[in-house]
Amino acid sequence: MTALLENPTTGRLRPGFEGNNISFAIGFKHISYLAEAAVLHHFREAGLSAGELYRRHGLGFDVVDVHSRLGALLAVDDEVEAQVTPTTKDGEDRLRFKVEMFVERDGKRVKCAGSTVRVALRIDDHIKAEEPWPAGLERFATARLGTGERRDVAATPLPYGEFTAGRGTTADPVLAELVGDTNAFGWRWRMPYFYCHFNERVQMSGFLRIMEEAEDLFLADRGLAIKQVLDGRGWIPVVTQSRIELLDETVMEEELYTVYTVENIFKSLLYTHRMDCYVLRDGQLVKTATGTITHGYLTETAPNQWEMADMDEATLAALSTPRKAAA
């Protein structure tokens, strides 16, 4: 346990090509993917790989909180030096790590991103553990990932439809009740198995994808569809920081109600969203995840040279004006 809880590790990683959406830059969720990969490497170096934890000890590796900040551009061909430092405090029941990511630029070592990551070890009742848990691991093992906030709901959801219902719906009485008159966007979508792990629940990478999808749908709803804005104004969204925390478990094929709320607009450069995710159980909404994300726009001033763009009045008005959710 000393290696896991005290000894820093360094791994060399490369971002996934999937994250190379604009020019040669890597998008925000792949920064958090790298942070997760670095912590997984740390576990392997400590002799506690995720696969062995599950197979031998019946424990699922679950990232329950990831907070990432972008310091410099991460490029598709970069090799990232990821330093993981354990920061778990005495008495904490979640493993906590600081992840710092560095790349080489013109012969210099540059910090491109930093993350904090918390991990829970979920006791899995699908399998029987082959061996006892390693000594010292007990306080991080949990029968469930949190107990999310519950709230009563007066509305009755519409039938979801077939499995081929596409990207879900933005018109639903429960969404309308959740959004109300706030400056928010609501989305309901069944959770696919490929966002899940360990046979059952949505994992952190799934919620990172949900956050990005919610942003994409929100912008289209406000008349700021990404392709339209890129072609018309030469702008592309950029994320400077994001955080997601899991509050409860979201189970495969449950319908997730995502409420995406504009919280702040900083002058004409940045805006922040809060993402709150719920599932409906026994007539109550259970809050299963929450997070925040800070956005701006980049504009290409010369080939492959990008700078922050000043948002114009039309864009600021679109971000600021609430749209009533359809019931």
Side-chain angles (χ1 to χ4, degrees):
M1 287 298 293
T2 299
L4 185 68
L5 293 175
E6 298 181 19
N7 297 348
T9 57
T10 299
R12 304 199 74 84
L13 308 166
R14 288 190 184 273
F17 184 64
E18 174 198 321
N20 180 207
N21 305 129
I22 297 297
S23 189
F24 58 89
I26 292 295
F28 90 95
K29 72 178 183 292
H30 281 261
I31 303 291
S32 291
Y33 285 2
L34 283 170
E36 180 183 69
V39 173
L40 283 163
H41 173 76
H42 179 82
F43 270 71
R44 293 187 194 103
E45 291 292 287
L48 294 167
S49 69
E52 291 297 283
L53 277 170
Y54 186 77
R55 184 181 66 83
R56 292 168 56 190
H57 305 297
L59 295 172
F61 173 100
D62 274 273
V63 174
V64 295
D65 192 350
V66 60
H67 185 184
S68 298
R69 299 178 184 85
L70 183 66
L73 180 143
L74 178 63
V76 63
D77 295 318
D78 278 332
E79 183 178 53
V80 177
E81 176 191 332
Q83 293 186 346
V84 177
T85 304
T87 57
T88 308
K89 298 177 182 178
D90 291 343
E92 282 191 308
D93 61 358
R94 298 289 186 264
L95 295 131
R96 187 188 300 268
F97 304 94
K98 179 174 71 172
V99 183
E100 296 177 289
M101 299 177 230
F102 301 88
V103 294
E104 186 173 312
R105 293 279 184 271
D106 300 323
K108 296 180 180 179
R109 184 170 177 263
V110 175
K111 185 175 179 180
C112 66
S115 301
T116 55
V117 178
R118 289 197 303 140
V119 174
L121 301 178
R122 167 66 153 75
I123 301 167
D124 200 299
D125 56 10
H126 291 103
I127 61 172
K128 184 177 180 180
E130 297 178 359
E131 301 174 21
W133 301 333
L137 217 57
E138 299 90 348
R139 68 182 167 112
F140 306 112
T142 181
R144 188 172 182 83
L145 302 179
T147 53
E149 162 196 321
R150 290 178 176 265
R151 57 182 286 180
D152 293 326
V153 58
T156 301
L158 296 174
Y160 184 82
E162 301 298 324
F163 272 81
T164 54
R167 291 184 81 182
T169 182
T170 60
D172 182 85
V174 175
L175 285 175
E177 184 174 322
L178 280 168
V179 171
D181 296 324
T182 63
N183 188 8
F185 170 79
W187 174 42
R188 174 188 171 195
W189 186 44
R190 180 183 281 121
M191 290 295 92
Y193 85 92
F194 46 87
Y195 279 25
C196 303
H197 66 177
F198 300 123
N199 305 338
E200 186 176 43
R201 59 193 176 274
V202 179
Q203 59 178 303
M204 178 59 77
S205 63
F207 279 101
L208 286 162
R209 292 164 77 176
I210 289 161
M211 179 176 269
E212 187 167 55
E213 288 180 272
E215 174 72 14
D216 182 50
L217 292 168
F218 163 81
L219 289 174
D221 185 68
R222 295 295 175 95
L224 297 170
I226 290 173
K227 175 69 169 153
Q228 175 186 332
V229 172
L230 181 61
D231 289 347
R233 305 179 202 180
W235 297 355
I236 188 69
V238 62
V239 173
T240 58
Q241 65 175 312
S242 68
R243 182 181 183 182
I244 297 176
E245 181 181 6
L246 305 191
L247 306 175
D248 206 305
E249 297 175 5
T250 304
V251 177
M252 184 187 301
E253 295 177 5
E254 279 193 308
E255 293 166 23
L256 191 74
Y257 293 82
T258 299
V259 179
Y260 205 59
T261 306
V262 180
E263 288 204 308
N264 293 295
I265 299 175
F266 302 102
K267 298 183 179 178
S268 60
L269 290 175
L270 297 168
Y271 62 97
T272 61
H273 269 112
R274 187 181 77 252
M275 182 180 79
D276 296 305
C277 299
Y278 304 84
V279 296
L280 196 58
R281 293 182 187 142
D282 301 322
Q284 287 186 308
L285 284 165
V286 181
K287 192 172 184 179
T288 60
T290 190
T292 57
I293 188 168
T294 302
H295 275 282
Y297 281 100
L298 290 178
T299 184
E300 193 170 22
T301 56
N304 293 320
Q305 293 183 24
W306 298 80
E307 294 180 1
M308 292 296 296
D310 282 312
M311 292 183 284
D312 55 30
E313 290 299 321
T315 302
L316 293 171
L319 294 174
S320 304
T321 306
R323 285 168 56 93
K324 192 173 182 62

